[in-house]
Amino acid sequence: MTLVLLLQAYLVRHQDAVGFILILALIGVLSLAPRIKAASWRLFIRCVATASIAAEAVWFGTGWNWLYIAAHIGVAALALAAFVLAWQGRTQNKRTRAQRMVVVGMRTVGMVSSGLAVMLIGAVVITDLSVRPAVYALQKAADQVNSFDSNGPSGETALPAGTTLTRNIEYGTQFPNSFLDIYSKEPKAEASRPTYVFIHGGGWIAGSKSMGDPNAAGSSFALGNGPIIDAGYNVVSLDYALAPGAPYPTQVQQVSQAVAYLKEHADQYGLDMSRVVIAGSSAGGQLAGQFANIETNPAYAEQIGIDPVLDKGVLRAVVLDSAAIDLARTGRTELPSPQADFLFSLSLRAYVGQPQNSTTEVPLAREADMLAHVTTAFPPAFIADGNDGTFPDQAKDLGVRLTTLGVRNVVDIPAMSNGLFGHGYMAGPSRETDRYNSRKVAFLAEAVG
């Protein structure tokens, strides 16, 4: 029963099927209840198992998240009852010494397994109630926390091939992690290179401007943005506050603040802010697309309460790498990857509060949905993704929608015949990554001018 519950929490796109198995397991518990000698425990187990079955069954039809949680709490109570019964019965026997040893051994195993089940189920129930403990633990382990202090020294550093890195420029003081880096090639006074603003991924709960997306292999910056610098752009990579400590829409507000800062200080840093590309990977792609919607859809900007910061026509293109486009499908990757589904669902809950086990989409997830708010004014878009454990279906849907609106776009997904390429594959070295970079640079050459 414990294993079934863990699978239901983990296999987020098969929760109905696993829930049916959980009901069968609970029926099995009911069938074993008559063997319990203590009448009070028999009644407790029958009541809890029956209530859990009812909660799980009604959840099937309604999608009410509280019923899903109630069923899991019931399973936790049954596991705790098993532990207590094993403890109480550990010495209650009148057998021979050898028989007592066997019985004690069996009951010890029962106590240990029941205790472990209680801890595991407790962890599931806690995560059902709130993702904060799990996410904060992950962030602390990765040393990625929200802070109003920069994560390193500021100032300029000379990099190979004539690139200058200006680190940890503070673009705002309202929210934590409001720092950006600028990678430039030419002397600042010339400011002749378009500006490519890159937003890192990490499910809104992790990642950084220098490390890229922890969900992708390799170095996101070196492989994805190095060719952009070589193609004639100045590149800006920005940090933003991480959820759940900083809830939606903090992150897209920070993107607007960062772009407004760059516009105001363009001369200081030698940036051409009359030709801007907004780009992002995974969660950063969602933020890039939402920012583009705010800039090009006045009604949406008013709805979300964030004013556009760029003049009309300045935002020349959008680059979306493995972007979460339709947030309702964030936990439903193609080809299905249970691990990715679970992690993306966890991230979405931390970001907008969308329960992974609810059939009802929360309003914030709909508001942040890129696909629902694009218009004919959306910039030309280069939409790329892998073909395994990621969102190629969402990329294709956005491409179809933009084509219908008359917006120039390219959807770039590796053919299955070329191999399997996962979420954020363009952050890892491969022949497909080289092809992706070549197509992206060619697309931007036409779109940006």
Side-chain angles (χ1 to χ4, degrees), residues 73-87:
I73 291 174
V75 174
L78 292 173
L80 183 60
F83 176 81
V84 172
L85 288 171
W87 176 266

Side-chain angles (χ1 to χ4, degrees), residues 13 213 215-217 280-283 285 320-326 328-344 383-397 411-416 419-427:
R13 66 191 305 158
D213 182 355
N215 293 318
S281 173
S282 190
L320 307 174
D321 293 342
S322 295
I325 294 168
D326 178 0
R329 288 184 281 168
T330 299
R332 295 180 175 273
T333 56
E334 301 283 335
L335 301 167
S337 167
Q339 179 180 356
D341 288 349
F342 175 78
L343 290 175
F344 293 149
I383 311 161
D385 208 340
N387 55 25
D388 178 28
T390 186
F391 313 125
D393 55 328
Q394 298 184 37
K396 293 174 183 176
D397 288 348
V411 177
D412 189 70
I413 298 170
M416 295 297 291
L420 296 178
F421 296 89
H423 185 77
Y425 81 89
M426 58 286 293

Side-chain angles (χ1 to χ4, degrees), residues 219-265:
S219 170
S220 176
F221 183 82
L223 291 163
N225 295 324
I228 293 297
I229 296 173
D230 294 339
Y233 295 78
N234 288 325
V235 173
V236 177
S237 184
L238 63 91
D239 270 342
Y240 51 87
L242 303 175
Y248 171 88
T250 299
Q251 294 74 13
V252 74
Q253 287 178 299
Q254 288 180 279
V255 174
S256 289
Q257 289 177 356
V259 173
Y261 177 91
L262 294 170
K263 179 181 177 182
E264 183 178 350
H265 295 84

Side-chain angles (χ1 to χ4, degrees), residues 20 30 32 37-38 137-138 143 149 190 194 197 210 227 240 267 280 288 388 393 395 397:
F20 178 74
L30 279 176
L32 294 174
K37 295 180 180 180
L138 291 172
D143 194 24
D149 297 322
E190 296 187 19
V197 180
S210 56
Y240 51 87
D267 292 340
D388 178 28
D393 55 328
D397 288 348

Side-chain angles (χ1 to χ4, degrees), residues 153-211:
S154 302
E156 294 186 357
T157 301
L159 300 179
T163 300
T164 298
L165 165 60
T166 306
R167 281 193 178 97
N168 292 317
I169 301 168
E170 188 173 33
Y171 63 79
T173 58
Q174 182 180 2
F175 303 114
N177 301 355
S178 296
F179 297 91
L180 57 82
D181 296 339
I182 299 176
Y183 297 77
S184 56
K185 276 269 191 178
E186 296 181 352
K188 292 180 181 178
E190 296 187 19
S192 61
R193 298 162 65 92
T195 301
Y196 186 97
V197 180
F198 177 75
I199 311 168
H200 71 79
W204 308 281
I205 63 172
S208 74
K209 57 183 169 56
S210 56
M211 295 172 59

Side-chain angles (χ1 to χ4, degrees), residues 44-59:
F44 175 81
I45 289 173
R46 283 170 172 165
C47 290
V48 173
T50 301
S52 299
I53 291 170
E56 192 80 11
V58 176
W59 169 72

